[in-house]
Coordinates of all heavy atoms in Angstrom, one line a residue:
Chain S
R44 N 100.2 111.3 77.8 CA 100.1 112.2 76.7 C 101.3 113.1 76.6 O 101.4 113.8 75.6 CB 98.8 113.1 77.1 CG 99.0 114.0 78.3 CD 97.6 114.6 78.7 NE 97.7 115.3 79.9 CZ 97.8 116.6 80.1 NH1 97.9 117.3 78.9 NH2 97.9 117.1 81.2
F45 N 102.3 112.9 77.3 CA 103.6 113.6 77.2 C 104.6 112.7 76.5 O 105.7 113.3 76.2 CB 104.1 114.1 78.6 CG 103.2 115.0 79.2 CD1 102.4 114.6 80.4 CD2 102.9 116.2 78.9 CE1 101.5 115.5 81.0 CE2 102.0 117.2 79.6 CZ 101.3 116.8 80.5
V49 N 107.2 112.4 83.0 CA 107.6 113.9 83.5 C 107.9 113.8 84.9 O 107.1 113.4 85.7 CB 106.3 114.8 83.3 CG1 106.5 116.2 83.7 CG2 105.7 114.7 81.9
E51 N 108.3 115.9 87.5 CA 107.5 116.6 88.6 C 106.2 115.8 88.7 O 105.6 115.6 89.9 CB 107.3 117.9 88.2 CG 106.5 118.7 89.2 CD 106.9 118.7 90.7 OE1 108.1 118.5 90.9 OE2 106.1 118.9 91.6
I52 N 105.6 115.3 87.7 CA 104.3 114.6 87.8 C 104.6 113.1 88.6 O 103.8 112.8 89.4 CB 103.8 114.2 86.3 CG1 103.2 115.7 85.8 CG2 102.6 113.2 86.5 CD1 102.7 115.4 84.4
S54 N 107.0 112.6 90.8 CA 107.2 113.0 92.2 C 106.0 113.2 92.9 O 105.8 112.8 94.0 CB 108.2 114.1 92.2 OG 109.4 113.9 91.5
R55 N 105.0 114.1 92.3 CA 103.9 114.3 93.0 C 103.1 113.0 93.2 O 102.4 112.9 94.4 CB 103.1 115.2 92.2 CG 103.6 116.6 92.2 CD 102.7 117.7 91.5 NE 103.5 119.0 91.5 CZ 102.9 120.1 91.2 NH1 101.6 120.3 90.8 NH2 103.6 121.2 91.2
L58 N 104.4 111.0 96.2 CA 104.1 111.4 97.6 C 102.6 111.0 98.0 O 102.4 110.6 99.1 CB 104.2 112.9 97.6 CG 103.8 113.6 99.0 CD1 104.8 113.2 100.0 CD2 103.8 115.1 99.0
A62 N 102.1 106.3 101.3 CA 101.5 105.6 102.4 C 100.5 104.7 102.2 O 100.4 103.6 102.7 CB 100.9 106.9 103.5
V65 N 102.1 101.4 101.1 CA 102.6 100.7 102.3 C 101.5 100.0 103.0 O 101.6 98.8 103.3 CB 103.4 101.7 103.2 CG1 103.6 101.1 104.5 CG2 104.7 102.3 102.6
R66 N 100.4 100.8 103.1 CA 99.3 100.1 103.9 C 98.8 98.8 103.1 O 98.6 97.8 103.7 CB 98.1 101.1 104.1 CG 97.0 100.7 104.9 CD 96.1 101.7 105.3 NE 96.8 102.7 106.2 CZ 97.0 104.0 105.7 NH1 96.3 104.5 104.6 NH2 97.6 104.8 106.4
K77 N 105.1 97.1 112.6 CA 105.9 96.8 113.7 C 106.6 95.4 113.5 O 107.5 95.1 114.3 CB 105.0 96.5 115.0 CG 104.3 97.9 115.3 CD 104.9 98.8 116.1 CE 104.1 100.0 116.8 NZ 103.7 100.9 115.7
L95 N 113.8 111.2 96.1 CA 113.8 111.7 97.4 C 112.6 111.5 98.1 O 112.6 111.3 99.4 CB 113.9 113.3 97.2 CG 114.1 113.9 98.4 CD1 115.5 113.9 98.9 CD2 113.5 115.4 98.3
V96 N 111.4 111.2 97.5 CA 110.2 110.8 98.2 C 110.4 109.5 98.9 O 110.1 109.4 100.2 CB 109.0 110.9 97.3 CG1 107.7 110.3 98.0 CG2 108.8 112.2 96.6
A99 N 113.1 109.8 101.8 CA 112.6 110.5 103.0 C 111.6 109.7 103.8 O 111.7 109.5 105.0 CB 111.9 111.8 102.5
A100 N 110.7 108.9 103.1 CA 109.8 108.1 103.7 C 110.5 106.9 104.4 O 110.1 106.6 105.6 CB 108.7 107.5 102.7
K102 N 113.5 106.7 105.5 CA 114.2 107.2 106.7 C 113.2 107.4 107.9 O 113.6 106.8 109.0 CB 114.9 108.4 106.4 CG 116.1 108.4 105.5 CD 116.8 109.7 105.3 CE 118.0 109.7 104.4 NZ 118.6 110.9 104.3
A103 N 112.3 107.9 107.6 CA 111.1 108.0 108.7 C 110.6 106.7 109.1 O 110.5 106.4 110.5 CB 110.0 108.9 108.2
Y104 N 110.4 105.7 108.2 CA 109.9 104.4 108.7 C 110.9 103.7 109.6 O 110.6 103.3 110.6 CB 109.6 103.5 107.4 CG 108.3 103.9 106.7 CD1 108.3 104.2 105.4 CD2 107.1 103.9 107.4 CE1 107.0 104.5 104.7 CE2 105.7 104.1 106.8 CZ 105.9 104.5 105.5 OH 104.7 104.7 104.9
A106 N 113.4 105.1 111.2 CA 113.7 105.7 112.4 C 112.6 105.6 113.5 O 112.7 105.3 114.6 CB 113.9 107.2 112.2
A107 N 111.3 105.6 113.1 CA 110.2 105.5 113.8 C 110.1 103.9 114.4 O 109.6 103.7 115.5 CB 108.9 105.8 113.1
L108 N 110.5 103.0 113.5 CA 110.4 101.6 113.9 C 111.7 101.3 114.7 O 111.7 100.2 115.4 CB 110.4 100.6 112.6 CG 109.0 100.7 111.9 CD1 109.2 100.2 110.6 CD2 107.9 100.1 112.7
R178 N 105.8 106.2 69.0 CA 105.3 107.5 68.8 C 105.3 107.8 67.2 O 104.2 108.3 66.8 CB 106.1 108.5 69.5 CG 105.4 109.7 69.6 CD 106.0 110.7 70.6 NE 105.9 112.1 70.1 CZ 107.0 112.9 69.9 NH1 108.0 112.5 70.2 NH2 106.7 114.0 69.4
L179 N 106.3 107.5 66.5 CA 106.4 107.9 65.2 C 105.4 107.0 64.4 O 105.0 107.3 63.2 CB 107.8 108.0 64.6 CG 108.6 106.8 64.4 CD1 108.6 106.2 63.1 CD2 110.1 107.2 64.6
A228 N 112.8 106.0 61.8 CA 112.1 107.3 61.3 C 112.3 107.6 59.9 O 111.4 108.0 59.0 CB 112.6 108.4 62.2
R229 N 113.5 107.4 59.4 CA 113.8 107.8 57.9 C 113.1 106.8 57.0 O 112.6 107.1 56.0 CB 115.4 107.6 57.7 CG 116.3 108.6 58.4 CD 117.6 108.3 58.3 NE 118.1 108.6 56.9 CZ 118.6 109.6 56.4 NH1 118.9 110.7 57.3 NH2 118.9 109.9 55.1
E232 N 109.4 107.7 57.0 CA 109.2 109.0 56.3 C 109.4 108.9 54.8 O 108.5 109.4 54.1 CB 110.2 110.0 56.8 CG 109.7 111.5 57.0 CD 110.6 112.3 57.7 OE1 110.9 112.1 58.8 OE2 111.2 113.2 57.0
A233 N 110.3 108.0 54.4 CA 110.6 107.9 52.9 C 109.3 107.2 52.4 O 108.7 107.6 51.3 CB 111.8 107.0 52.7
E235 N 106.3 107.2 53.6 CA 105.1 108.2 53.5 C 105.2 109.1 52.2 O 104.3 109.5 51.7 CB 105.2 109.1 54.9 CG 104.6 108.3 56.0 CD 104.8 109.2 57.2 OE1 105.6 110.1 57.3 OE2 104.1 108.7 58.2
R236 N 106.5 109.6 51.9 CA 106.7 110.5 50.9 C 106.4 109.8 49.5 O 105.9 110.4 48.6 CB 108.2 110.8 50.7 CG 108.6 111.9 51.7 CD 109.9 112.6 51.3 NE 110.1 113.5 52.4 CZ 111.2 114.3 52.4 NH1 112.0 114.1 51.4 NH2 111.5 115.2 53.4
L333 N 121.6 107.6 108.5 CA 120.2 108.2 108.2 C 120.4 109.7 107.4 O 119.2 110.1 107.1 CB 119.4 108.5 109.6 CG 118.8 107.2 110.1 CD1 118.0 107.6 111.4 CD2 117.7 106.6 109.1
D334 N 121.5 110.0 107.2 CA 121.7 111.4 106.5 C 122.2 111.1 105.1 O 122.5 112.1 104.4 CB 122.7 112.4 107.1 CG 124.0 111.8 107.3 OD1 124.3 110.8 106.8 OD2 124.8 112.5 107.8
F335 N 122.0 109.8 104.5 CA 122.5 109.7 103.1 C 121.5 110.4 102.1 O 120.4 110.6 102.4 CB 122.6 108.1 102.7 CG 121.3 107.4 102.4 CD1 120.8 107.6 101.1 CD2 120.6 106.7 103.4 CE1 119.7 106.9 100.7 CE2 119.5 106.0 103.0 CZ 118.9 106.1 101.7
S336 N 122.2 110.8 101.0 CA 121.5 111.5 99.9 C 121.0 110.5 98.8 O 121.6 109.5 98.5 CB 122.5 112.5 99.2 OG 123.0 113.3 100.1
Chain I
G40 N 116.3 116.2 102.3 CA 116.1 114.7 102.2 C 117.1 114.1 103.1 O 116.9 113.1 103.6
E41 N 118.3 114.8 103.3 CA 119.4 114.2 104.1 C 119.2 114.4 105.6 O 119.4 113.5 106.4 CB 120.7 114.9 103.8 CG 121.4 114.5 102.4 CD 120.6 115.1 101.3 OE1 119.7 115.9 101.5 OE2 121.1 115.0 100.1
T44 N 115.2 113.7 109.0 CA 115.2 112.6 109.9 C 116.2 112.6 111.1 O 115.8 112.5 112.2 CB 115.0 111.2 109.3 OG1 113.8 111.2 108.5 CG2 115.2 110.1 110.2
P45 N 117.5 112.8 110.7 CA 118.5 113.0 111.8 C 118.1 114.1 112.8 O 118.3 114.1 114.0 CB 119.7 113.3 111.1 CG 119.6 112.6 109.7 CD 118.2 112.8 109.4
L48 N 115.2 113.1 115.2 CA 115.6 112.2 116.2 C 116.5 113.0 117.2 O 116.4 112.7 118.5 CB 116.6 111.0 115.6 CG 115.7 110.1 114.7 CD1 116.7 109.0 114.1 CD2 114.7 109.4 115.6
L58 N 110.0 108.7 120.8 CA 109.0 109.1 119.7 C 107.7 108.7 120.1 O 106.7 109.3 119.8 CB 109.5 108.3 118.5 CG 110.6 108.9 117.6 CD1 111.1 107.9 116.6 CD2 110.1 110.3 116.9
F73 N 109.1 122.5 95.4 CA 108.4 121.3 95.4 C 109.2 120.1 96.0 O 108.8 119.3 96.8 CB 108.0 120.7 94.0 CG 107.2 121.8 93.2 CD1 107.3 121.8 91.9 CD2 106.6 122.7 93.8 CE1 106.5 122.6 91.1 CE2 105.7 123.6 93.1 CZ 105.9 123.6 91.8
T74 N 110.5 119.8 95.5 CA 111.3 118.8 96.0 C 111.6 118.7 97.4 O 111.3 117.7 98.1 CB 112.6 118.6 95.1 OG1 112.3 118.6 93.8 CG2 113.4 117.5 95.6
R77 N 108.4 118.0 99.6 CA 107.9 116.7 99.7 C 108.7 115.8 100.7 O 108.2 115.0 101.2 CB 108.1 116.0 98.3 CG 106.9 116.3 97.3 CD 107.0 115.5 96.0 NE 108.0 116.0 95.1 CZ 107.8 116.8 94.1 NH1 106.6 117.3 93.9 NH2 108.7 117.2 93.4
A78 N 110.0 116.2 101.0 CA 110.8 115.5 102.0 C 110.1 115.7 103.2 O 109.9 114.6 104.0 CB 112.2 116.1 102.0
L80 N 106.8 116.4 103.9 CA 105.5 115.6 103.9 C 105.7 114.2 103.9 O 104.9 113.5 104.6 CB 104.7 116.1 102.8 CG 104.2 117.5 102.8 CD1 103.7 118.0 101.5 CD2 103.0 117.6 104.0
A81 N 106.6 113.6 103.2 CA 106.8 112.1 103.1 C 107.3 111.7 104.6 O 106.8 110.5 105.0 CB 107.9 111.7 102.1
T82 N 108.2 112.4 105.1 CA 108.6 112.0 106.5 C 107.4 112.2 107.5 O 107.4 111.2 108.2 CB 109.7 113.1 106.8 OG1 110.7 113.1 105.9 CG2 110.3 112.7 108.3
S85 N 105.0 109.2 107.1 CA 105.5 107.9 107.5 C 105.6 107.8 108.9 O 105.2 106.7 109.6 CB 106.9 107.6 106.9 OG 106.8 107.8 105.4
L86 N 106.0 108.8 109.7 CA 106.1 108.8 111.0 C 104.7 108.6 111.7 O 104.5 107.8 112.6 CB 106.5 110.1 111.6 CG 108.1 110.5 111.5 CD1 108.4 111.9 112.0 CD2 108.9 109.5 112.3
Q88 N 102.1 107.2 110.3 CA 101.7 105.8 110.1 C 102.2 104.8 111.0 O 101.6 104.0 111.7 CB 102.1 105.4 108.8 CG 101.2 104.6 107.9 CD 101.5 104.3 106.5 OE1 102.6 105.0 106.1 NE2 100.9 103.5 105.8
V89 N 103.6 104.9 111.5 CA 104.2 103.9 112.3 C 103.8 104.3 113.9 O 103.5 103.4 114.6 CB 105.8 104.1 112.2 CG1 106.3 103.2 113.4 CG2 106.2 103.6 110.9
Y203 N 101.2 123.1 96.2 CA 102.2 123.5 95.2 C 102.0 124.8 94.6 O 102.9 125.5 94.3 CB 102.2 122.5 94.1 CG 102.6 121.1 94.5 CD1 101.7 120.0 94.6 CD2 103.9 120.7 94.9 CE1 102.1 118.7 94.8 CE2 104.3 119.5 95.0 CZ 103.4 118.4 95.2 OH 103.8 117.2 95.6
R205 N 101.6 125.8 91.8 CA 102.0 125.8 90.4 C 101.8 124.3 89.9 O 101.9 123.4 90.5 CB 103.4 126.1 90.2 CG 103.8 127.6 90.4 CD 105.3 127.7 90.2 NE 105.8 129.1 90.4 CZ 107.0 129.4 91.0 NH1 107.8 128.4 91.5 NH2 107.4 130.7 91.1
R206 N 101.5 124.4 88.5 CA 101.3 123.1 87.9 C 102.7 122.5 87.5 O 103.6 123.4 87.3 CB 100.4 123.2 86.6 CG 98.9 123.8 86.9 CD 98.2 124.1 85.6 NE 97.9 122.9 84.9 CZ 97.0 122.0 85.1 NH1 96.1 122.2 86.2 NH2 96.8 120.9 84.4
P207 N 102.8 121.3 87.2 CA 104.2 120.7 86.7 C 104.4 121.3 85.4 O 103.5 121.6 84.6 CB 103.9 119.2 86.6 CG 102.6 119.0 87.4 CD 101.8 120.2 87.4
D208 N 105.7 121.5 85.1 CA 106.1 122.1 83.9 C 106.1 120.8 83.0 O 107.0 119.8 83.1 CB 107.6 122.6 84.0 CG 107.6 123.9 84.4 OD1 106.7 124.7 84.2 OD2 108.6 124.3 85.1
A209 N 105.3 120.8 82.0 CA 105.2 119.7 81.1 C 104.4 120.1 79.9 O 103.4 120.8 79.9 CB 104.5 118.5 81.7
Q210 N 105.1 119.8 78.7 CA 104.4 120.2 77.5 C 104.2 118.8 76.6 O 105.1 118.1 76.6 CB 105.4 121.1 76.6 CG 105.3 122.6 77.1 CD 105.7 123.5 76.0 OE1 106.8 123.2 75.4 NE2 105.1 124.5 75.7
E211 N 103.0 118.9 76.1 CA 102.8 117.7 75.1 C 103.5 117.9 74.0 O 103.6 119.0 73.3 CB 101.2 117.8 74.8 CG 100.4 117.4 76.0 CD 99.0 117.1 75.7 OE1 98.7 116.6 74.6 OE2 98.1 117.6 76.4
P212 N 104.1 116.8 73.4 CA 105.0 116.9 72.3 C 104.1 117.1 71.1 O 103.1 116.7 71.0 CB 105.7 115.5 72.2 CG 104.8 114.6 72.9 CD 104.0 115.4 74.0
G213 N 104.8 117.8 70.1 CA 104.1 117.9 68.8 C 104.3 116.6 67.9 O 104.7 115.6 68.4
R214 N 104.2 116.8 66.6 CA 104.6 115.7 65.8 C 106.1 115.3 65.8 O 106.9 116.3 66.1 CB 104.2 116.0 64.2 CG 102.7 116.1 63.9 CD 102.6 116.3 62.5 NE 103.5 115.5 61.6 CZ 103.2 114.4 61.2 NH1 102.1 113.8 61.5 NH2 104.0 113.7 60.5
P215 N 106.4 114.1 65.7 CA 107.9 113.7 65.6 C 108.6 114.7 64.5 O 108.0 114.9 63.5 CB 107.9 112.3 65.2 CG 106.5 111.7 65.6 CD 105.6 112.9 65.4
R217 N 110.8 115.7 61.6 CA 111.2 115.2 60.3 C 112.7 114.8 60.3 O 113.5 115.6 60.8 CB 110.9 116.1 59.1 CG 109.6 116.7 59.1 CD 108.4 115.8 59.3 NE 108.3 115.0 58.0 CZ 107.3 114.0 57.9 NH1 106.5 113.8 58.9 NH2 107.1 113.3 56.9
V218 N 113.0 113.7 59.7 CA 114.5 113.3 59.8 C 115.1 113.3 58.3 O 116.3 113.2 58.2 CB 114.7 111.9 60.4 CG1 114.4 112.0 61.8 CG2 113.8 110.9 59.8
L219 N 114.2 113.5 57.2 CA 114.8 113.4 55.9 C 114.9 115.0 55.6 O 113.9 115.7 55.8 CB 113.9 112.7 55.0 CG 113.9 111.2 55.1 CD1 112.9 110.7 54.2 CD2 115.1 110.6 55.0
V220 N 115.8 115.3 54.8 CA 115.9 116.8 54.4 C 115.2 116.9 52.9 O 114.9 116.0 52.3 CB 117.3 117.2 54.1 CG1 117.9 117.5 55.6 CG2 118.2 116.2 53.5

Side-chain angles (χ1 to χ4, degrees):
Chain S
R44 68 194 174 99
F45 300 107
V49 179
E51 177 60 22
I52 292 175
S54 300
R55 291 185 181 195
L58 179 63
V65 166
R66 186 165 302 120
K77 306 268 192 284
L95 187 80
V96 176
K102 286 179 178 181
Y104 284 123
L108 291 166
R178 191 166 148 242
L179 66 94
R229 292 174 71 93
E232 216 174 295
E235 279 169 352
R236 282 198 187 178
L333 283 175
D334 65 358
F335 81 82
S336 305
Chain I
E41 287 79 357
T44 291
L48 288 177
L58 282 168
F73 308 155
T74 299
R77 281 189 284 265
L80 288 166
T82 302
S85 303
L86 285 176
Q88 216 173 355
V89 174
Y203 292 112
R205 285 179 180 145
R206 301 173 66 82
D208 283 329
Q210 277 202 317
E211 288 187 43
R214 283 181 51 83
R217 313 306 292 178
V218 291
L219 295 178
V220 284

